[in-house]
């Protein structure tokens, strides 16, 4: 390990059995559910990167283009000498667009639940930005957490991209934004938000022809088999992801294709033919509905950028 990486603050690992608990408790419920944050083991993180490249998944490329186009203005709003704190950092590809535009960025603190993956991508970023203090934190940002100040008590700017906010129920999303506002100590937050649109476009984005989203969804079962010794037959479950136009959300399920029983952690779970396991909601907002929620969370919504087709939006919220 080189000197710069050695200065990284010790990573806080999430508790070891949380996935086991989530599966066992989620399958005991009616309807059955497994929280979407468990998609992101290393395989899941890599499948998600493949989703981002799909022709149907317009979100990532639209957001990236918006970031690229407006980076100079965003950099001005964030100001010089900042510490960037990114919630759910993923592949770290988007932050580069900002780092290249920011005036003398001092530190970067990516927070992600996928520890091995984070270590990998941080190593690659460090090689390209020598002189930037890197502080990866392996943590579940949906839980309360403290991000200790770095030397120099740097001003913070937050990054919360990819429309990850859409995974949370509105009241939970608001509480999460409120907590992020606390973490940022008065600094602003840049949030990427997917917009309400033609339901056919949304449906296609979660039902891609190549079947990558289906593999991403089913990977939850593969992960349970590998990590928990469960005996799911992944082929006996179908990926099902309809758009609920009334509730403005994609709902993702794994549907049991037959009557079957599965054992996880010495517990048996019965599945009826056609019984769904709810694995994700991906809510879509209007520009106005998101700004309203951000304001209720204590932020002052300022600039907002969108593409000509109004597929996606990026919001600058002042702390
Ligand atoms: C990372 C939560 C924003 O909801 O679009 C992609 C995850 N799920 N395809 C989304 C996802 C299926 C993605 N988020």
């Amino acid at each position: 390990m080189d000197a710069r990486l050695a200065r990284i603050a010790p990573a806080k690992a999430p508790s070891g059995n949380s996935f086991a608990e989530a599966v066992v408790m989620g399958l005991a419920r009616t309807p059955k559910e497994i929280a979407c944050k468990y998609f992101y083991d290393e395989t899941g993180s890599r499948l998600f990167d493949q989703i981002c490249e799909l022709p149907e998944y317009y979100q990532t490329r639209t957001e990236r283009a918006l970031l690229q186009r407006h980076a100079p203005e965003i950099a001005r709003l964030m100001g010089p000498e900042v510490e960037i704190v990114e919630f759910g950092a993923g592949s770290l590809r988007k932050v580069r667009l900002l780092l290249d535009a920011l005036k003398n960025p001092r530190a970067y603190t990516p927070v992600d639940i996928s520890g091995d993956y984070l270590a990998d991508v941080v190593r690659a970023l460090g090689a390209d930005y020598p002189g930037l203090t890197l502080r990866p934190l392996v943590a579940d940002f949906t839980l309360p957490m403290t991000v200790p100040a770095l030397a120099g008590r740097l001003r913070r700017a937050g990054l919360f991209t990819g429309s990850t906010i859409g995974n949370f129920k509105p009241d939970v999303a608001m509480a999460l934004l409120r907590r992020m506002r606390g973490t940022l100590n008065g600094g602003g937050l840049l949030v990427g938000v997917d917009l309400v649109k033609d339901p056919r476009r949304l449906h296609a984005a979660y039902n891609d022809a190549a079947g990558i989203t289906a593999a991403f969804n089913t990977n939850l079962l593969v992960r349970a088999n590998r990590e928990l010794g469960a005996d799911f037959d992944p082929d006996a479950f179908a990926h099902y992801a309809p758009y609920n136009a009334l509730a403005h959300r994609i709902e993702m399920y794994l549907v049991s294709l037959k009557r079957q029983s599965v054992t996880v952690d010495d517990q048996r779970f019965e599945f009826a033919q056609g019984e769904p396991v709810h694995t994700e909601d991906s809510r879509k907002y209007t520009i106005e509905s998101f700004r309203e929620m951000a304001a209720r969370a204590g932020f002052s919504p300022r600039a907002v950028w969108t593409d000509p087709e109004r597929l996606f939006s990026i919001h600058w919220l002042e702390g």
Side-chain angles (χ1 to χ4, degrees):
M1 188 179 267
D2 72 23
R4 191 183 37 69
L5 277 170
R7 277 191 272 111
I8 292 170
K12 202 170 73 198
S15 79
N17 58 4
S18 67
F19 178 49
E21 269 172 30
V23 172
V24 167
M25 287 175 53
L27 295 185
R29 236 168 252 151
T30 317
K32 292 179 169 64
E33 64 175 30
I34 303 175
C36 62
K37 64 185 171 191
Y38 298 106
F39 283 138
Y40 302 95
D41 65 347
E42 184 156 11
T43 307
S45 293
R46 293 193 189 282
L47 282 167
F48 182 66
D49 286 349
Q50 281 178 256
I51 288 174
C52 293
E53 304 298 325
L54 289 169
E56 297 96 333
Y57 199 77
Y58 60 85
Q59 286 93 320
T60 310
R61 84 178 62 85
T62 308
E63 184 180 45
R64 210 176 273 152
L66 285 171
L67 278 175
Q68 176 112 54
R69 159 151 350 139
H70 301 291
E73 193 181 348
I74 294 167
R76 256 195 318 278
L77 290 166
M78 288 184 169
E81 319 257 326
V82 284
E83 174 191 1
I84 298 281
V85 179
E86 180 162 19
F87 303 97
S91 71
L92 313 190
R93 281 191 61 187
K94 290 166 192 162
V95 74
R96 289 168 182 260
L97 300 170
L98 284 185
L99 289 173
D100 293 341
L102 282 166
K103 191 166 171 202
N104 195 17
R106 295 280 299 277
Y108 175 47
T109 301
V111 181
D112 205 279
I113 198 167
S114 189
D116 295 340
Y117 182 73
L118 183 62
D120 260 28
V121 291
V122 160
R123 212 168 296 122
L125 186 87
D128 294 340
Y129 294 88
L132 182 72
T133 299
L134 292 174
R135 178 183 37 173
L137 296 178
V138 182
D140 177 352
F141 67 77
T142 66
L143 303 177
M145 60 171 183
T146 22
V147 178
L150 291 166
R153 304 198 133 271
L154 303 168
R155 245 169 8 88
R156 285 179 172 159
L159 252 192
F160 190 34
T161 64
S163 204
T164 305
I165 190 74
N167 280 162
F168 305 94
K169 292 191 184 74
D171 56 326
V172 177
M174 201 181 68
L176 186 60
L177 289 175
R178 198 175 277 288
R179 212 136 22 70
M180 288 178 178
R181 186 168 161 269
T183 302
L184 296 171
N185 298 323
L189 178 66
L190 191 72
V191 191
V193 181
D194 197 12
L195 298 176
V196 174
K197 62 177 63 61
D198 184 336
R200 293 165 297 184
R201 187 93 194 233
L202 286 163
H203 187 271
Y206 295 85
N207 293 275
D208 61 287
I212 308 295
T213 308
F216 174 71
N217 197 7
T218 309
N219 177 56
L220 267 179
L221 307 180
V222 179
R223 179 181 181 185
N225 287 350
R226 191 183 52 248
E227 291 185 22
L228 313 177
D231 60 356
F232 285 104
D233 171 6
D235 294 330
F237 290 84
H239 165 72
Y240 182 59
Y243 179 62
N244 179 338
L246 261 184
H248 295 174
R249 64 180 182 234
I250 290 283
E251 297 173 1
M252 216 152 82
Y253 302 94
L254 288 162
V255 179
S256 178
L257 293 174
K258 58 181 192 195
R259 204 176 130 190
Q260 56 184 320
S261 65
V262 174
T263 303
V264 189
D265 229 20
D266 296 327
Q267 295 185 56
R268 237 168 94 107
F269 297 95
E270 303 296 335
F271 292 78
Q273 180 171 32
E275 184 176 358
V277 181
H278 185 204
T279 55
E280 185 175 47
D281 282 332
S282 186
R283 288 179 178 69
K284 311 305 169 187
Y285 287 88
T286 63
I287 285 177
E288 297 70 30
S289 67
F290 179 74
R291 284 167 68 91
E292 236 167 73
M293 182 171 74
R296 266 185 278 127
F299 280 107
S300 303
R302 300 287 190 219
V304 51
W305 301 274
T306 188
D307 53 292
E309 285 185 277
R310 292 192 158 245
L311 296 176
F312 202 89
S313 60
I314 295 180
H315 301 251
W316 174 247
L317 312 176
E318 256 166 37

